């Protein structure tokens, strides 16, 4: 996920970033549940475990980066 690195974002850019965080947070929750369901069903579908875990990790990593960027931008507005 690519986010503008502008140290002084506009209010619209901040609003867009908040929207992106909400959307990705929803996807992260879905992946978390998918991973949980897969783990509960083990050993059935064990071959899906690594790929599902990797996708879950990637989404949570992206979410963390967006949240950090949002925090930084909001501090710069004050």
């Amino acid at each position: 996920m690519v986010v503008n690195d502008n140290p002084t974002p506009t209010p619209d850019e901040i609003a867009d970033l908040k929207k992106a965080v909400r959307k990705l947070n929803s996807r992260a929750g879905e992946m978390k549940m998918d991973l949980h369901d897969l783990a509960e069903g083990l050993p059935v579908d064990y071959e899906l475990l690594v790929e599902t875990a990797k996708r879950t990790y990637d989404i949570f990593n992206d979410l963390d980066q967006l949240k950090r960027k949002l925090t930084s931008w909001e501090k710069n507005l004050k």
Side-chain angles (χ1 to χ4, degrees), residues 3-78:
V3 177
N4 178 4
D5 287 330
N6 180 5
T8 54
T10 66
D12 286 340
E13 288 174 321
I14 290 177
D16 289 344
L17 184 56
K18 284 181 180 181
K19 186 186 296 185
V21 166
R22 281 192 303 271
K23 182 183 268 189
L24 196 55
N25 195 46
S26 177
R27 285 185 49 216
E30 290 171 13
M31 286 304 304
K32 177 180 159 184
M33 290 307 300
D34 289 349
L35 185 60
H36 176 267
D37 292 346
L38 182 59
E40 273 191 341
L42 288 174
V44 175
D45 291 332
Y46 73 91
E47 64 276 357
L48 301 175
L49 187 57
V50 173
E51 177 60 29
T52 303
K54 172 73 170 106
R55 288 186 325 186
T56 303
Y57 172 86
D58 290 345
I59 287 174
F60 275 93
N61 185 49
D62 289 348
L63 181 59
D64 182 54
Q65 290 178 22
L66 288 183
K67 286 180 176 181
R68 288 173 189 262
K69 176 59 71 179
L70 180 59
T71 298
S72 172
W73 281 7
E74 288 176 334
K75 284 181 184 177
N76 287 340
L77 276 185
K78 293 181 181 181

